[in-house]
Amino acid sequence: MINYKWKLNMKKILKRVGVISLFGLMMIGLAACGNQQSADNKDSGYNSFISKGLNAVAENKFDKALTYFDNALTQKPKDSKAKAYRDQTQAYLDTQSELKDGEVQKAVTTVTAGTKATNGAKSLNTKLSNLKKTANADLAEYRQLKQDVADQLKVTDGSYDTGVVNQCQDINWRKKPYLKKLKPDVDKLLKQAGQLSSTSSSSSSTATSSSSSSTTTKTVSAADKKEAEQMRTNIVQSDPDSWDSAALAQVPDSVIVAATKKSNDMGGDPGTTANMIAEQYPNIKKGNSTNSDTDSTDVGDKPYLNADEAKQQLSSLDYYRKNRSEIEITSTTKGSDDWKFNFTKGNMTGTIYVENTGLISATSSDGKELGSGIWR
């Protein structure tokens, strides 16, 4: 009798345990399903934000893209891809903002860091690479204008470079905000040059053509005159097929002396000096017509740099001038719109690009930017 009751109680106990266990398993199963559904929802939200962010990048809506990538990170805070996309987008926006604020060097640093992001999106890499080219060109223009304006502000005898003055007059500050920090000095130069010209303007109606350069009436010393004459000879002898001695004879001594000094400061040669003079007096180049209609046709019909001319521009690059004795040019290649000069410097190799747009830059074989400038 006791055994029977004991067995009956055990059956009841086991039955209850079974029910409780089944209930527990059901709860665990429901929880697991809930967790899986939550994970699936997170993945779905993450993928959606990434996709929308990349679409915004394609439409150049970088502010919107940044928001989407931030949202993706809220779904997966430690996700390396979402973080890389976000960092790339932020670098693009920061670079644009810095260019607008005139922080050109800072912009180049920012965009360069953006291009080095790991796990980044290909579309953002392309956008950043293009922006980097723009920023480097802006920096080269900024540095060149800064140097040119500084040089002109030192002029005390009125022999201003009309090319620089005209360039300053033509600056559209709204379209070139990256130059804004130079505006005070540019305004100062224009004021100085304007005041001088207003007090020394000619009353002759025929003076317009002869005053294309403010240096035409400058009196030079006997030593300067001798130096100018020697440079004319050196220019013609350096490349008789390119430079017209008769046209050079018509260039004022003061212009030739000024170009010679600037060329020497850059480590240039007679060819470099001649190209500087040709900016104001293009007729010194053989084959150039004085007729403006013919000039515009010629420029469009032929490239304006051959290999020798491009090589002469290497001295326009600070990096090349400072390391000239250590640099050995190993090969020269013509690109669609530039000349490439491969070089070695000790154990390092690299390439100097002389572009027809006027930009010159140097890059090491491992991708490091060595310097940039403007050759014209």
Side-chain angles (χ1 to χ4, degrees):
M1 184 70 178
I2 294 174
N3 288 338
Y4 174 77
K5 288 183 178 180
W6 181 83
K7 288 180 179 179
L8 184 63
N9 288 335
M10 285 300 296
K11 285 182 179 180
K12 289 181 179 179
I13 291 171
L14 290 173
K15 186 175 181 180
R16 288 175 183 173
V17 169
V19 170
I20 293 172
S21 297
L22 179 62
F23 180 75
L25 290 172
M26 288 175 63
M27 293 301 295
I28 292 172
L30 288 172
C33 288
N35 290 337
Q36 182 61 46
Q37 186 174 7
S38 176
D40 289 343
N41 288 339
K42 279 190 175 182
D43 285 342
S44 176
Y46 166 86
N47 291 330
S48 175
F49 287 134
I50 290 292
S51 177
K52 288 178 179 179
L54 292 175
N55 288 337
V57 168
E59 297 172 358
N60 293 321
K61 298 177 180 178
F62 292 94
D63 285 318
K64 185 177 289 187
L66 187 66
T67 299
Y68 284 130
F69 295 141
D70 278 337
N71 289 339
L73 280 170
T74 62
Q75 300 294 313
K76 294 186 177 182
K78 296 182 179 180
D79 185 73
S80 60
K81 183 171 76 172
K83 186 178 185 306
Y85 290 9
R86 195 240 179 242
D87 290 347
Q88 286 178 299
T89 306
Q90 187 67 65
Y92 193 98
L93 289 168
D94 287 346
T95 301
Q96 286 187 318
S97 176
E98 286 158 0
L99 288 174
K100 288 180 181 178
D101 291 340
E103 299 288 349
V104 200
Q105 180 62 69
K106 189 176 181 181
V108 170
T109 301
T110 300
V111 73
T112 300
T115 60
K116 296 178 180 178
T118 55
N119 298 320
K122 289 183 178 180
S123 58
L124 278 162
N125 283 335
T126 300
K127 298 278 187 183
L128 284 165
S129 294
N130 291 335
L131 183 59
K132 182 181 177 181
K133 291 180 181 178
T134 299
N136 277 323
D138 291 348
L139 178 60
E141 182 181 358
Y142 176 91
R143 286 175 172 172
Q144 187 65 53
L145 182 62
K146 181 179 180 180
Q147 183 61 55
D148 288 343
V149 171
D151 290 342
Q152 293 304 302
L153 286 173
K154 296 175 184 177
V155 172
T156 58
D157 57 2
S159 57
Y160 294 104
D161 185 326
T162 54
V164 175
V165 174
N166 289 338
Q167 180 186 358
C168 291
Q169 289 175 329
D170 293 339
I171 294 174
N172 186 324
W173 298 103
R174 183 178 62 81
K175 291 183 178 180
K176 296 189 174 185
Y178 52 88
L179 298 177
K180 69 193 314 181
K181 288 195 171 183
L182 299 178
K183 194 173 188 306
D185 284 342
V186 168
D187 289 343
K188 184 178 179 180
L189 172 60
L190 291 176
K191 185 177 180 180
Q192 284 184 195
Q195 286 176 341
L196 182 69
S197 62
S198 65
T199 59
S200 61
S201 59
S202 171
S203 60
S204 171
S205 60
T206 61
T208 303
S209 61
S210 64
S211 61
S212 60
S213 170
S214 59
T215 59
T216 57
T217 59
K218 180 186 174 185
T219 301
V220 296
S221 66
D224 285 345
K225 186 175 182 65
K226 184 177 180 180
E227 180 183 356
E229 194 57 44
Q230 183 61 54
M231 181 51 67
R232 289 186 180 93
T233 302
N234 294 344
I235 288 171
V236 174
Q237 289 180 347
S238 70
D239 192 352
D241 295 330
S242 297
W243 307 112
D244 189 325
S245 59
L248 271 167
Q250 301 302 314
V251 178
D253 293 338
S254 59
V255 173
I256 293 180
V257 171
T260 301
K261 182 179 183 305
K262 187 173 182 180
S263 175
N264 289 340
D265 289 343
M266 295 169 56
D269 52 23
T272 304
T273 305
N275 281 309
M276 290 179 177
I277 297 170
E279 292 177 6
Q280 295 183 53
Y281 297 88
N283 60 320
I284 69 170
K285 282 189 175 183
K286 285 187 176 180
N288 274 13
S289 168
T290 56
N291 182 282
S292 59
D293 293 335
T294 305
D295 282 345
S296 62
T297 302
D298 288 345
V299 171
D301 289 344
K302 63 180 182 180
Y304 50 86
L305 278 184
N306 57 38
D308 289 336
E309 290 172 335
K311 192 170 184 179
Q312 289 176 1
Q313 308 309 325
L314 295 179
S315 296
S316 301
L317 185 67
D318 284 341
Y319 176 81
Y320 180 81
R321 291 199 303 273
K322 292 176 181 177
N323 300 280
R324 182 196 298 262
S325 61
E326 302 175 61
I327 290 177
E328 179 184 355
I329 302 297
T330 56
S331 65
T332 304
T333 307
K334 187 179 187 303
S336 59
D337 196 37
D338 62 8
W339 285 90
K340 300 177 180 66
F341 295 89
N342 294 320
F343 70 89
T344 60
K345 177 179 177 288
N347 295 326
M348 187 191 76
T349 60
T351 305
I352 299 176
Y353 300 87
V354 180
E355 300 181 20
N356 284 338
T357 58
L359 181 67
I360 181 170
S361 60
T363 307
S364 65
S365 56
D366 61 1
K368 182 181 178 181
E369 298 286 344
L370 301 175
S372 60
I374 292 177
W375 60 262
R376 67 177 178 87

